[in-house]
Amino acid sequence: MKESTEESLALLCLFFTPGIGAVSQRRILEKAGSALSLLESPEKISLEGVPEKTLSSIRENSVLERAQKELRWLQEHDSRVISLLSPDYPPLMKTIHDPPAIMFCRG
């Protein structure tokens, strides 16, 4: 199942937000339930170790512009972004120590 365009854009915003690394991305997705929920209301997510200002920066124009550019590139190259919460996420990847919260795949 393919992620919606809105969720894909939100995942990319999360991926490109300065100060949010792989471990925090996973914790944020698990707490928010989706990247789109975070993008729509970052102030509703509270996460120990991640300042509110950092979470709010997911909505900055520079982050959104970069995410839109990358999403266009992914679409043009038959590629996509998936999250740990996606049914398309490889089941075995979930079993490794520190699985990536966001993956890029082709096809």
Side-chain angles (χ1 to χ4, degrees):
M1 184 177 140
K2 213 172 171 180
E3 301 279 353
S4 73
T5 301
E6 293 83 10
E7 179 66 13
S8 295
L9 182 62
L11 283 169
L12 290 167
C13 285
L14 178 59
F15 186 78
F16 291 120
T17 299
I20 299 179
V23 173
S24 293
Q25 289 169 357
R26 187 175 61 247
R27 291 176 53 218
I28 289 166
L29 284 173
E30 288 169 348
K31 182 148 187 175
S34 74
L36 190 54
S37 295
L38 174 65
L39 187 62
E40 291 172 343
S41 303
E43 66 280 353
K44 291 184 179 180
I45 305 298
S46 171
L47 201 60
E48 186 178 327
V50 180
E52 186 179 322
K53 184 178 178 184
T54 300
L55 285 174
S56 294
S57 66
I58 192 172
R59 297 172 93 173
E60 289 181 1
N61 284 339
S62 61
V63 171
L64 183 58
E65 288 170 6
R66 172 97 189 263
Q68 289 170 329
K69 179 181 174 185
E70 295 298 326
L71 183 59
R72 279 191 301 275
W73 187 94
L74 288 168
Q75 292 168 338
E76 290 168 5
H77 292 88
D78 192 31
S79 300
R80 59 195 175 111
V81 59
I82 59 173
S83 81
L84 184 66
L85 304 177
S86 171
D88 290 340
Y89 194 92
L92 288 176
M93 286 293 285
K94 289 181 180 181
T95 66
I96 67 170
H97 180 69
D98 286 335
I102 298 170
M103 292 179 60
F104 297 88
C105 55
R106 180 170 248 166

